[in-house]
């Protein structure tokens, strides 16, 4: 018996859970350049109430669309019944996102289309935005107004 077998016990056996099949199907469709039309089930663990609100907003940015940290801050403030919210605070919550792609934080950009940080690396953010049909350079995104989400 290997140390891995001993450590994992019966959990080390191959498991064919439906959530993995759904996620693989979602990824295949997405990386095939199409909007999957569904979201595989997931759980946000250890998210503060503020992070939950921000991630829920981000999760609802449609395929092929983008929004800004400032727009998310305005919507989060509305949902939390606050007079205003900091775009920087939203940036921290977006950066905490543990499920990139499924919760599409790559669709969040800076003011006036500028590209900002991305945990998966800026080149990956650019590639994902291009996959979704955006015209992107290292300096920013140059999509039409219809590509922007405003709440």
């Amino acid at each position: 018996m290997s140390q891995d077998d001993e450590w994992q016990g019966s959990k080390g056996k191959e498991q064919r859970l439906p959530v993995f099949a759904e996620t693989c199907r979602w990824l295949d469709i997405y990386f095939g350049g199409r909007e999957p039309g569904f979201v595989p089930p997931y759980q946000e663990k250890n998210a503060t109430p503020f992070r939950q609100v921000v991630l829920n907003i981000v999760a609802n940015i449609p395929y092929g669309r983008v929004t800004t940290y400032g727009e998310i801050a305005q919507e989060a403030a509305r949902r939390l019944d606050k007079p205003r919210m900091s775009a920087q605070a939203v940036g921290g919550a977006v950066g905490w996102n543990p499920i990139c792609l499924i919760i599409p934080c790559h669709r969040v950009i800076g003011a006036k289309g500028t590209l900002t940080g991305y945990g998966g690396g800026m080149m990956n953010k650019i590639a994902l935005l291009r996959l979704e049909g955006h015209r992107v350079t290292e300096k920013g995104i140059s999509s039409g107004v219809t590509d922007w989400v405003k709440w």
Side-chain angles (χ1 to χ4, degrees), residues 125-141:
K125 182 171 187 161
I126 291 169
L128 293 170
L129 290 169
R130 285 179 177 160
L131 177 69
E132 294 185 17
H134 295 283
R135 292 181 307 274
V136 187
T137 68
E138 290 183 9
K139 294 183 180 182
I141 190 167

Side-chain angles (χ1 to χ4, degrees), residues 50 54 68-74 84-96 108 111 116:
F50 172 69
V54 170
T68 66
Y69 294 95
E71 289 290 333
I72 293 173
Q74 288 178 6
R84 66 182 167 271
M85 183 75 54
S86 159
Q88 290 80 10
V90 165
V94 170
W96 179 85
V108 183
T116 57

Side-chain angles (χ1 to χ4, degrees), residues 10-25:
S10 63
K11 291 182 182 179
K13 294 181 182 177
E14 183 178 330
Q15 297 182 20
R16 297 184 189 272
L17 299 175
V19 67
F20 295 142
E22 283 295 292
T23 303
C24 286
R25 188 167 73 87

Side-chain angles (χ1 to χ4, degrees), residues 13-59:
K13 294 181 182 177
E14 183 178 330
Q15 297 182 20
R16 297 184 189 272
L17 299 175
V19 67
F20 295 142
E22 283 295 292
T23 303
C24 286
R25 188 167 73 87
W26 188 94
L27 289 167
D28 286 343
I29 295 167
Y30 180 82
F31 284 111
R34 299 181 326 274
E35 197 280 316
F38 69 97
V39 176
Y42 63 85
Q43 293 181 354
E44 297 167 15
K45 292 190 175 185
N46 303 316
T48 65
F50 172 69
R51 286 177 177 166
Q52 287 175 341
V53 167
V54 170
L55 293 181
N56 183 265
I57 294 168
V58 173

